[in-house]
Amino acid sequence: MEVFIVIDGNSLINRAFYALPPLNGKDNKPTQAVYGFVTMLIKLMEYRPEYMAVAFDLKAPTFRHKKYELYKANRKGMPDDLAVQMPILKDLLRVMNIAVVEKEGYEADDIIGTMAKHYDGQTYIVTGDRDSFQLIDDKIKVLMTKRGITEVGEFDREALAAEYNLTPSGVIEYKSLAGDQSDNIPGVPGVGDKTATELVKKYGTLDNIYANIQEITGKLHEKLVLGKESAYLSHELATIDVQVPDLPLAQNCRLTFPFADKVRDRFEELNFKSLVKREELFAGGGETQELPESIAVTAERLESLLKGAKSAPIIWDKSGLYTAVDGVGYVLPIKQTLLDEGADDVQAANAVKTFAEGDGLKIVFDAKTLKKKLYAYGVSLDNYFDVELCQYLLNSAVDHESLVKLGAEYGFVGGVPLVLMKLYEKLIGELEESGMSDLYYKLELPLTSVLFDMERTGFKVDEGMLDELSLRYGNEIAELQAEIFKMAGREFNINSPKQLAAVLFEELKIPYPKRSKTFSTGAEILEPLRGNFQIVDRVLQYRFLAKLKSTYLDGLRPMIDRNGLVHTEFRQMLTSTGRLSSVEPNLQNIPVRTDEGKVLRKLFVARDDNVLISADYSQIELRLMAHLSGDERMVSAYINGEDIHSSTAAEIYGVEQSEVTPAMRREAKIVNFGIIYGMSDFGLAQNLNITPKQAAMYIKRYFERFGGVRRYLAQSVESAREKGYVETIFGRRRYVPELRSSNYNSRMFGERVAMNTPLQGSAADLIKKAMIDVDKRLSSMKSKLILQIHDELIVDTAQDEIEAVKKILIDCMENVAELRVPLKVEVGCGKRWYDCK
């Protein structure tokens, strides 16, 4: 899950200012608060954020000041030595490519709350203000600054309850009663911390307190009655607004780390000597080079310029087609009017046709997208170098999806085609130095064309079956809903977590499996209750079918073209292991673990009189473990054609293979795959439903029998720690900075990455190489490769080519590389994808 960190800028810079001794930059302006802030920010990299934003207050009054003129009236003005550092910090953050977010009429808390609540992934709020505790939920945690500038306390619901005896919503109710001296929120006069906490604990909400005011006696009753208006005003002041309009999404605040060299230059100016020396903070790239913008030309002029070019950058975006010849950038503008829709695109395509299809080297950014645009106008693209693909291979952690951002990362800004040319010159040298030239030129680059052809070919959908399944699941969902209502004794919104929790845990009194004052209905809560409560079973089945229908049936329908085909998009530059992913629709994620999920494969059929042929690697990652580790027992088992799971079961249970039961084999299978994924004792115990002690014994016995595997995994981690990266058998690198983290969880994550990436990444490389080989062998045939699902390839096959295609798939996949153990492929055939297994 991608992590978003949003920082309370005012809170952190204030803490840093008072925590550190004076420090001046080279211009003699104070910088100690900025230094402290940046030190804290760098410490946060241990959480491996993908996105980051810093929110600031503005001087303009907010809606709270307008509601209550004494709001924050007791706050002292910012010291001059701190005030002068605010613009320095904001400027530095922008140089670091970190989003600075501020908005008149709203406080940083409101900005933070809105951005956090509108992001679906894991979010950490970094602040020294306890108001943010009200934002905590299943995906939001608060990192509360403590002593100094680098120590934080991590708060989720449980930690909040343990330390303050409050729920997230209870924070607002508490402040409504006790007030907040720092913000000058009045609360109820005479009600202190202890009383406020007890009232919230007993009654939950302010409304409930006043609904039961007659139960409360004595002076407290009098205080609450007299202070009711103040309480509700305080409630309004204390509530963070999570609907601030016109804010950037977290996904638009992508973090680039390590930082560009221009950040190091700014650190030097600010006199941050210790940070300048930390090489791991910087990605390199030299000084910023301003490049001239492009000159607008006509299609005829662009065509004549390209005729004599031996190489040229080409990029096509919504504003025009860009290129450069002899160090000068040009753009053919594309009009965005309805009257001229498409006309300028045709001119653009014609202007580059001769060059695009000729021998000259095309330097492009995202070749597959450019190939699609050109293909629409009858133009092909040959002999190209994809800069984005090269950067992905060199270091996928660097943001490679935006040409402008990638150029800035390396210090090139300005004209688009010249930035592209500079990046090519820079990256081609790094590619050679990395030893990944063969991987790029022989695997990733040719794969782009294979994927383009697969996307263009598409996969046939049986629309009649789609209607049938949609009706069937719709009826089953309605029946489940009726059963659930009957068991609950009333109707309610099953899709509402709040209403569902009320039914299950309050009305039906189902024991909640965790110690908590608030109820969740997530899978992690309901799954352990499966089999014990009929209504829970029905709810889980309802959710599963509803997801199938909405995502895979209703969601698929609008993606079918007029020929009954869906054209998935393969994402070649997304995963850190090299695996492909599939989107719109995601055909790699069709459920296969349940009968209902498997039925969805009936939707996908061969064209006309064709059949589908599926070829799937058998236990590819375990075979790779045998190859990479050289473990004699494992290698021997595969060479002799033994069932590896039965062999493992015999080893860890100390029995003959003939004595291995189906249950033993199932458990051994979980152990086999658990080991290669770095599963802990606890994780294995959960998967096998045994005690951690028993799981530890299984792992110990496994490593005693397969000592080569133990040595290989240990060596992988140690090598990654020394070199900073791990490699696949084809030389693909994945950097593992987490191994050097001071955070234990980050280091453990790094160790799992070091152990697993050579296996998963090598499997990805092998299937990619097989795809290229299969595509080449099919090039003169009617049959077409149409889908890759991790370790499986599917070919839409002509009837008279069935045996030939089977032979091609087996030959290309099993002989893709020479390993210590044989690669095995299982082949299936049928009119429908469902029939291929």
Side-chain angles (χ1 to χ4, degrees):
M1 185 182 291
E2 292 186 321
V3 171
F4 173 43
I5 289 182
V6 57
I7 299 171
D8 184 340
N10 293 80
S11 174
L12 259 68
I13 196 169
N14 266 284
R15 174 171 285 274
F17 178 75
Y18 291 106
L20 295 176
L23 173 70
N24 289 344
K26 291 184 176 179
D27 60 1
N28 214 33
K29 288 182 180 177
T31 59
Q32 85 270 22
V34 180
Y35 173 78
F37 187 104
V38 172
T39 302
M40 176 67 178
L41 187 149
I42 291 170
K43 183 77 172 172
L44 294 171
M45 297 306 170
E46 294 176 357
Y47 289 86
R48 302 180 68 250
E50 295 286 338
Y51 312 103
M52 182 175 283
V54 183
F56 288 97
D57 294 327
L58 291 175
K59 289 183 179 178
T62 69
F63 67 89
R64 293 183 181 87
H65 293 92
K66 295 172 183 177
K67 187 76 178 177
Y68 181 55
E69 62 181 18
L70 296 178
Y71 179 68
K72 291 190 176 180
N74 54 354
R75 290 278 181 99
K76 295 180 180 179
M78 188 179 289
D80 291 343
D81 278 359
L82 174 55
V84 76
Q85 295 184 61
M86 293 297 289
I88 297 172
L89 173 61
K90 292 178 184 179
D91 178 63
L92 176 59
L93 289 170
R94 292 184 178 107
V95 172
M96 297 166 81
N97 200 30
I98 293 172
V100 172
V101 190
E102 47 197 5
K103 189 175 181 67
E104 281 197 10
Y106 297 93
E107 295 182 66
D109 283 349
D110 303 314
I111 294 169
I112 290 167
T114 300
M115 296 185 76
K117 290 293 185 180
H118 286 75
Y119 179 59
D120 289 333
Q122 177 65 62
T123 301
Y124 292 97
I125 296 169
V126 186
T127 183
D129 187 348
R130 286 180 288 184
D131 286 349
S132 292
F133 286 153
Q134 66 186 266
L135 300 171
I136 291 172
D137 60 23
D138 289 342
K139 62 185 180 63
I140 298 174
K141 296 181 181 180
V142 170
L143 301 179
M144 181 65 57
T145 52
K146 297 168 74 176
R147 189 176 57 208
I149 56 169
T150 58
E151 187 179 342
V152 297
E154 185 173 311
F155 285 86
D156 55 12
R157 283 193 176 100
E158 287 71 24
L160 180 63
E163 185 151 341
Y164 294 100
N165 205 18
L166 290 171
T167 64
S169 60
V171 171
I172 305 172
E173 315 302 327
Y174 165 84
K175 286 201 171 193
S176 305
L177 298 165
D180 185 336
Q181 190 172 354
S182 65
D183 289 341
N184 208 36
I185 294 176
V188 174
V191 173
D193 292 350
K194 184 178 179 182
T195 302
T197 303
E198 289 174 351
L199 285 169
V200 173
K201 184 178 180 181
K202 183 174 182 180
Y203 294 101
T205 67
L206 194 62
D207 286 343
N208 209 27
I209 290 170
Y210 281 102
N212 294 280
I213 194 69
Q214 298 308 322
E215 292 181 6
I216 304 168
T217 58
K219 290 186 177 180
L220 179 56
H221 175 90
E222 185 180 340
K223 290 174 183 176
L224 289 170
V225 170
L226 293 174
K228 182 175 182 179
E229 185 178 344
S230 180
Y232 277 96
L233 169 65
S234 300
H235 191 282
E236 192 172 348
L237 297 175
T239 302
I240 292 174
D241 185 350
V242 296
Q243 298 296 334
V244 179
D246 303 322
L247 293 182
L249 295 172
Q251 294 89 330
N252 296 330
C253 302
R254 184 172 287 277
L255 173 69
T256 302
F257 183 78
F259 304 120
D261 258 11
K262 59 185 177 181
V263 177
R264 189 204 309 262
D265 296 339
R266 191 59 60 90
F267 283 178
E268 286 182 348
E269 293 172 11
L270 296 171
N271 210 17
F272 298 167
K273 294 177 182 178
S274 61
L275 297 182
V276 169
K277 294 175 183 177
R278 293 178 58 180
E279 292 296 331
E280 78 275 13
L281 301 180
F282 309 101
E287 296 180 1
T288 299
Q289 184 176 350
E290 295 279 352
L291 300 169
E293 294 294 339
S294 304
I295 300 168
V297 292
T298 63
E300 293 75 19
R301 175 62 177 151
L302 187 64
E303 189 174 359
S304 66
L305 286 165
L306 286 171
K307 275 182 180 175
K310 293 183 179 179
S311 68
I314 299 178
I315 186 166
W316 195 340
D317 69 14
K318 63 183 180 181
S319 58
L321 186 143
Y322 294 84
T323 188
V325 180
D326 297 329
V328 179
Y330 301 96
V331 59
L332 172 59
I334 292 176
K335 294 176 184 176
Q336 298 295 305
T337 66
L338 292 174
L339 288 175
D340 296 321
E341 186 176 3
D344 292 290
D345 290 36
V346 173
Q347 290 177 359
N350 288 337
V352 300
K353 181 176 175 64
T354 302
F355 180 70
E357 297 178 348
D359 295 333
L361 176 65
K362 277 67 69 175
I363 299 150
V364 303
F365 191 86
D366 186 4
K368 186 150 65 71
T369 297
L370 182 55
K371 284 170 76 76
K372 286 180 184 177
K373 289 179 178 177
L374 290 171
Y375 180 79
Y377 301 103
V379 178
S380 61
L381 180 69
D382 305 304
N383 189 29
Y384 53 85
F385 184 98
D386 190 337
V387 166
E388 184 186 7
L389 184 62
C390 182
Q391 176 59 62
Y392 163 74
L393 199 58
L394 288 170
N395 188 351
S396 62
V398 173
D399 184 359
H400 52 77
E401 295 182 10
S402 162
L403 173 61
V404 173
K405 284 187 178 181
L406 183 58
E409 182 72 26
Y410 283 90
F412 306 129
V413 296
V416 169
L418 296 177
V419 166
L420 187 56
M421 180 63 84
K422 289 290 184 182
L423 283 170
Y424 164 71
E425 293 167 355
K426 174 75 176 173
L427 296 182
I428 198 168
E430 292 189 9
L431 185 64
E432 188 67 33
E433 290 173 14
S434 72
M436 289 192 283
S437 290
D438 276 359
L439 183 63
Y440 178 78
Y441 287 110
K442 295 180 180 179
L443 193 73
E444 293 291 355
L445 200 61
L447 184 67
T448 301
S449 293
V450 176
L451 297 176
F452 168 69
D453 288 338
M454 291 168 67
E455 290 177 4
R456 186 165 52 87
T457 302
F459 205 154
K460 184 81 171 177
V461 175
D462 182 341
E463 295 182 75
M465 178 62 72
L466 180 61
D467 293 337
E468 181 184 320
L469 289 179
S470 187
L471 179 63
R472 170 179 151 187
Y473 287 145
N475 289 337
E476 288 184 25
I477 289 166
E479 289 172 7
L480 283 167
Q481 179 177 269
E483 283 187 61
I484 291 167
F485 290 164
K486 186 176 180 181
M487 292 175 182
R490 68 178 180 88
E491 293 188 4
F492 65 99
N493 183 356
I494 302 171
N495 299 312
S496 166
K498 186 175 181 180
Q499 292 185 38
L500 179 60
V503 168
L504 297 180
F505 305 120
E506 294 175 14
E507 296 171 23
L508 298 181
K509 306 297 182 186
I510 292 175
Y512 192 70
K514 288 187 177 182
R515 292 184 64 184
S516 174
K517 292 185 179 181
T518 58
F519 297 133
S520 167
T521 58
E524 74 284 358
I525 297 297
L526 297 189
E527 282 294 344
L529 301 174
R530 186 192 287 273
N532 297 317
F533 302 93
Q534 271 196 334
I535 190 170
V536 173
D537 294 354
R538 299 296 188 274
V539 166
L540 290 171
Q541 182 66 2
Y542 171 91
R543 282 183 176 176
F544 175 70
L545 292 181
K547 176 74 183 295
L548 283 188
K549 187 174 185 300
S550 63
T551 302
Y552 301 106
L553 297 176
D554 301 342
L556 186 66
R557 198 180 299 277
M559 297 181 189
I560 302 172
D561 71 10
R562 62 184 179 184
N563 298 312
L565 300 167
V566 288
H567 302 269
T568 188
E569 178 189 347
F570 292 101
R571 302 292 298 274
Q572 187 180 359
M573 297 175 277
L574 185 66
T575 69
S576 53
T577 59
R579 275 194 163 193
L580 296 175
S581 62
S582 161
V583 295
E584 294 184 347
N586 182 353
L587 298 183
Q588 292 184 333
N589 202 33
I590 303 293
V592 294
R593 293 186 179 181
T594 64
D595 290 338
E596 296 95 337
K598 288 178 183 176
V599 167
L600 294 178
R601 292 195 171 198
K602 288 184 178 180
L603 294 170
F604 301 95
V605 297
R607 285 172 171 78
D608 306 322
D609 295 326
N610 288 7
V611 296
L612 299 176
I613 296 180
S614 163
D616 195 358
Y617 275 121
S618 170
Q619 301 172 352
I620 183 68
E621 290 179 6
L622 285 173
R623 291 175 188 271
L624 282 165
M625 174 61 85
H627 169 74
L628 291 167
S629 70
D631 183 89
E632 292 181 6
R633 289 176 187 257
M634 191 174 281
V635 169
S636 174
Y638 275 121
I639 289 176
N640 294 327
E642 297 174 15
D643 177 349
I644 191 66
H645 300 312
S646 293
S647 298
T648 300
E651 295 289 350
I652 63 175
Y653 291 106
V655 299
E656 295 297 324
Q657 281 205 42
S658 59
E659 299 172 7
V660 171
T661 65
M664 287 179 178
R665 186 186 183 279
R666 280 194 300 274
E667 292 189 349
K669 184 176 181 179
I670 293 172
V671 173
N672 269 327
F673 286 108
I675 293 294
I676 69 173
Y677 288 114
M679 190 180 288
S680 65
D681 302 354
F682 180 74
L684 185 60
Q686 282 193 315
N687 275 272
L688 292 178
N689 197 25
I690 58 177
T691 66
K693 187 176 180 180
Q694 285 177 294
M697 182 192 70
Y698 282 177
I699 293 174
K700 181 175 181 290
R701 195 173 293 170
Y702 180 96
F703 281 132
E704 286 172 352
R705 302 302 194 274
F706 299 103
V709 174
R710 179 199 286 274
R711 286 190 295 274
Y712 167 72
L713 293 175
Q715 288 165 4
S716 294
V717 173
E718 189 54 38
S719 173
R721 197 172 276 124
E722 289 175 8
K723 296 190 295 186
Y725 59 84
V726 288
E727 291 180 298
T728 68
I729 58 176
F730 280 58
R732 181 188 303 276
R733 290 183 183 180
R734 180 177 179 180
Y735 290 89
V736 197
E738 296 87 356
L739 286 173
R740 297 176 182 173
S741 171
S742 59
N743 180 279
Y744 174 79
N745 289 332
S746 291
R747 289 198 307 277
M748 291 302 98
F749 173 82
E751 289 190 8
R752 290 193 296 274
V753 166
M755 289 186 279
N756 178 246
T757 293
L759 300 166
Q760 200 173 87
S762 293
D765 291 345
L766 288 173
I767 195 75
K768 285 179 175 179
K769 177 68 167 59
M771 290 171 71
I772 294 167
D773 294 343
V774 168
D775 182 75
K776 192 178 296 182
R777 296 270 293 272
L778 293 177
S779 61
S780 60
M781 300 171 64
K782 292 171 285 185
S783 304
K784 299 293 181 186
L785 180 64
I786 59 170
L787 189 60
Q788 185 254 45
I789 314 98
H790 305 313
D791 305 328
E792 178 185 2
L793 298 181
I794 296 179
V795 177
D796 196 327
T797 308
Q799 285 283 349
D800 58 347
E801 294 177 343
I802 291 175
E803 294 308 315
V805 168
K806 286 182 179 179
K807 186 176 184 304
I808 287 170
L809 284 167
I810 292 171
D811 187 36
C812 289
M813 292 174 73
E814 291 189 348
N815 297 301
V816 69
E818 192 171 330
L819 305 181
R820 298 177 202 249
V821 298
L823 290 172
K824 289 295 178 184
V825 171
E826 297 171 352
V827 177
C829 182
K831 180 64 181 177
R832 299 179 184 275
W833 187 6
Y834 179 87
D835 301 324
C836 293
K837 292 290 185 182

